[in-house]
Amino acid sequence: MHVPLVVLGGGPGGYAAAFLAADLGMPVTLVERDERLGGTCLLRGCIPSKALLHVGRVLAECRELEDWGVHLARPKIDLGALRSRKDKVIATLTGGLGTLARRRNVTVVRGTARFTNSTTLEVVSAESGGSTQTLTFDHCILASGSRPARIPAFDIGSPRVMDSTGALELADVPKSLLVVGGGYIGLEMGTVYAELGSKVSVVELTDGLLPGADRDLVKPLQQRLEKLFEKIMLRTKVVGLEDTGSAVAVRFEGPDGPSEKEFARVLVAVGRRPNSDGIGLENTGVKIDARGFVAVDGQQRTADPHILAIGDVCGEPMLAHRASHQGKVAVECLHGEAALFAPRAIPAVVFTDPEIAWAGLTEQEASASGRAVEVSRYPWAASGRAHALGRTDGLTKMLVDPESDTVLGVGIVGPGAGELIAEGVLAIEMGCSARDLAETIHPHPTLGETVAFSAENYFGLATEIYRPRAEATR
Ligand code: FAD
Ligand code: NAD
């Protein structure tokens, strides 16, 4: 069968691309090996983790009510019901994607695809006993995503050692859990298990949690996690795992030398790898970099004129909203539009408690590149809303170009930071000056005000922060 456009992969990159192509009147075929559309994000990533984090956050809020004189009985957790509720969220959304695909006349082919040359895919059907279908195409948008990185020494064949997919299945709430990797997944899933009752320890190779994130933002999170978690081990390496039959014995090497401890379960969350191998890319002109990412230009075109690539398979940050956005750019290019993937800011959110969110330039990037920036910090201790919520541990910070007053970067830590960052992303994309934000009337009392207040603070004129006149220079 010949098709003008095939999209390989039904995740947030692939389905966004296929749906836009259909909306623009392009006949499109979507190949997906999973029974359901949605990819990593919907089936075993963003959505199930956020459903569980929502429950964790409500449990924490119930505990915090003690400070307000409200005493609730200890919650009883019906794990089966919790699992079903989470699975229902996924089922509803993946069902919705199926309906949207049908209504748009997107042809969905269920099966595992492999390139045999630059214009041909062989698809081994998942449904009809492994039969093979050949699809020739004018263009293919590759959106095959990524998978958890594995450390061979940790592959001990033990059901007690799991990756993020296993952790999201929530088979049980182990008495103790070791999380290897203090990144996005480690801290989000560590939070879920800790809130559900596990004693969680985290081991991180580098000298800080979330190595890529702004240290000002990580600090309040780390302080809270030090109370929620049993232990956080930094600059520490796992050098051995052994299933003892009732637990996993883990050997560590850290700043204080070697140590050993048993855990009921281990979650390995040490990054993700692109799905660029095993799909026949060597039979095409596509180029792959040293880390396995497919090389693309600003229009998502690979070195092969018939193949474009989007999402996790073509680089970092491996985030769903980047994948979808790139999917739209790829389709617009094929549709003959002058589209380009050149965002000024791709927001990042870690959905822990507090949440951490940032967009645009970070302080670390500015100092590494020697770029002069002015940093304005607005501590939430100065926000009435934060006091009313009992959460003064937050911070909103802004990086501003001192020559033009243009907002270059925004970082937020605190409950709801993931929602609040959208204003910062828009400000950076629109080239707003700090004055634009300071002079925009924000509703009171809200945490959103802290974005405007940090802009006011850049001018030394934030109402709730006193700065001696000599310091208020602008
Ligand atoms: P994927 O979603 O990985 O989809 C690729 C699809 O291609 C899959 O469905 C796969 O089955 C299919 N496929 C692969 N190879 C073949 C083949 N040969 N034939 C047919 N089909 C194939 N990102 C966020 O932005 N926010 C979050 O909160 C967030 N939380 C996350 C939590 C977890 C636990 C994890 C693991 C990830 C999370 N992510 C989050 C990352 C996000 O899931 C990915 O960035 C996103 O899914 C990438 O989209 P994609 O379309 O590139 O690939
Ligand atoms: P990550 O890159 O965020 O974190 C991995 C961590 O493991 C790093 O801190 C790294 O230093 C550490 N590490 C690596 N090897 C180690 C070892 N041997 N021992 C101890 N620590 C080690 O990766 P992740 O948490 O697996 O998540 C993968 C990707 O998925 C993320 O980078 C992100 O792109 C995406 N994701 C996003 C979200 C979100 O947007 N909220 C949530 C989950 C995942």
Side-chain angles (χ1 to χ4, degrees), residues 358-401:
W358 68 96
L361 191 69
T362 65
E363 211 175 335
Q364 283 73 12
E365 285 166 355
S367 61
S369 66
R371 175 158 193 176
V373 289
E374 187 95 9
V375 182
S376 171
R377 293 180 179 78
Y378 192 86
W380 286 19
S383 153
R385 177 66 166 170
H387 279 274
L389 293 168
R391 291 303 299 264
T392 50
D393 52 338
L395 173 79
T396 299
K397 71 185 275 190
M398 195 168 284
L399 269 71
V400 183
D401 177 11

Side-chain angles (χ1 to χ4, degrees), residues 162-178:
M162 56 188 178
D163 62 15
S164 56
T165 307
L168 285 166
E169 280 165 14
L170 207 66
D172 57 9
V173 177
K175 269 203 163 65
S176 59
L177 170 70
L178 175 70

Side-chain angles (χ1 to χ4, degrees), residues 40 45-46 49-50 53 146-149 151 154 164 179-189 202-212 233 236-238 268-273 312 315-321 347-352 356:
T40 304
C46 327
S49 61
K50 266 80 252 181
L53 278 160
S146 64
R147 59 181 185 273
I151 297 182
F154 296 176
S164 56
V179 176
V180 186
Y184 279 79
I185 294 176
L187 299 189
E188 288 186 358
M189 292 312 298
V202 174
V203 53
E204 163 61 44
L205 203 56
T206 68
D207 61 3
L209 297 177
L210 294 164
M233 294 167 267
T236 304
K237 225 168 136 175
V238 171
V268 181
V270 292
R272 293 181 64 81
R273 294 288 164 264
D312 283 10
E316 290 181 310
M318 292 197 235
L319 299 173
H321 39 280
V349 182
V350 190
F351 292 87
T352 40
I356 289 186

Side-chain angles (χ1 to χ4, degrees), residues 64-126:
E64 285 158 14
L65 279 178
E66 297 268 324
D67 286 349
W68 301 85
V70 179
H71 307 281
L72 300 174
R74 207 169 152 212
K76 272 205 298 219
I77 296 169
D78 176 344
L79 207 58
L82 176 54
R83 249 191 321 260
S84 307
R85 184 68 181 81
K86 170 206 43 125
D87 291 342
K88 192 173 156 207
V89 172
I90 299 172
T92 304
L93 291 171
T94 187
L97 288 177
T99 306
L100 289 170
R102 274 193 301 281
R103 297 190 101 171
R104 286 181 158 97
N105 285 326
V106 173
T107 306
V108 178
V109 173
R110 306 280 176 205
T112 302
R114 192 175 171 277
F115 292 93
T116 52
N117 61 46
S118 290
T119 53
T120 311
L121 280 174
E122 264 181 20
V123 184
V124 178
S125 166

Side-chain angles (χ1 to χ4, degrees), residues 136-380:
T136 57
F137 56 83
D138 298 329
H139 288 106
C140 172
I141 297 177
L142 174 64
S144 51
S146 64
R147 59 181 185 273
R150 293 170 71 163
I151 297 182
F154 296 176
D155 282 341
I156 56 169
S158 163
R160 296 185 177 86
V161 180
M162 56 188 178
D163 62 15
S164 56
T165 307
L168 285 166
E169 280 165 14
L170 207 66
D172 57 9
V173 177
K175 269 203 163 65
S176 59
L177 170 70
L178 175 70
V179 176
V180 186
Y184 279 79
I185 294 176
L187 299 189
E188 288 186 358
M189 292 312 298
T191 297
V192 167
Y193 276 87
E195 289 295 355
L196 292 177
S198 294
K199 285 188 189 321
V200 174
S201 299
V202 174
V203 53
E204 163 61 44
L205 203 56
T206 68
D207 61 3
L209 297 177
L210 294 164
D214 185 306
R215 294 299 95 189
D216 279 347
L217 306 182
V218 173
K219 204 170 154 198
L221 171 65
Q222 183 156 348
Q223 280 168 352
R224 207 169 154 97
L225 289 181
E226 271 161 9
K227 290 187 201 128
L228 181 68
F229 291 169
E230 181 83 353
K231 199 167 181 195
I232 297 175
M233 294 167 267
L234 301 176
R235 281 174 284 133
T236 304
K237 225 168 136 175
V238 171
V239 289
L241 292 181
E242 194 192 333
D243 192 327
T244 63
S246 57
V248 187
V250 184
R251 284 183 293 117
F252 301 99
E253 243 170 53
D256 304 326
S259 59
E260 189 164 342
K261 198 169 178 216
E262 287 195 355
F263 297 88
R265 266 175 191 265
V266 175
L267 162 60
V268 181
V270 292
R272 293 181 64 81
R273 294 288 164 264
N275 288 331
S276 58
D277 50 346
I279 52 173
L281 285 177
E282 63 283 3
N283 303 321
T284 72
V286 170
K287 297 265 180 298
I288 295 173
D289 73 15
R291 297 175 62 205
F293 290 116
V294 170
V296 290
D297 66 12
Q299 294 197 318
Q300 306 303 137
R301 294 181 196 275
T302 69
D304 190 312
H306 295 281
I307 302 172
L308 296 85
I310 60 171
D312 283 10
V313 76
C314 72
E316 290 181 310
M318 292 197 235
L319 299 173
H321 39 280
R322 170 179 168 274
S324 313
H325 202 88
Q326 289 183 331
K328 290 177 184 169
V329 168
V331 168
E332 284 163 1
C333 289
L334 292 177
H335 193 242
E337 294 166 40
L340 195 66
F341 184 75
R344 285 186 177 164
I346 303 174
V349 182
V350 190
F351 292 87
T352 40
D353 180 19
E355 291 179 356
I356 289 186
W358 68 96
L361 191 69
T362 65
E363 211 175 335
Q364 283 73 12
E365 285 166 355
S367 61
S369 66
R371 175 158 193 176
V373 289
E374 187 95 9
V375 182
S376 171
R377 293 180 179 78
Y378 192 86
W380 286 19

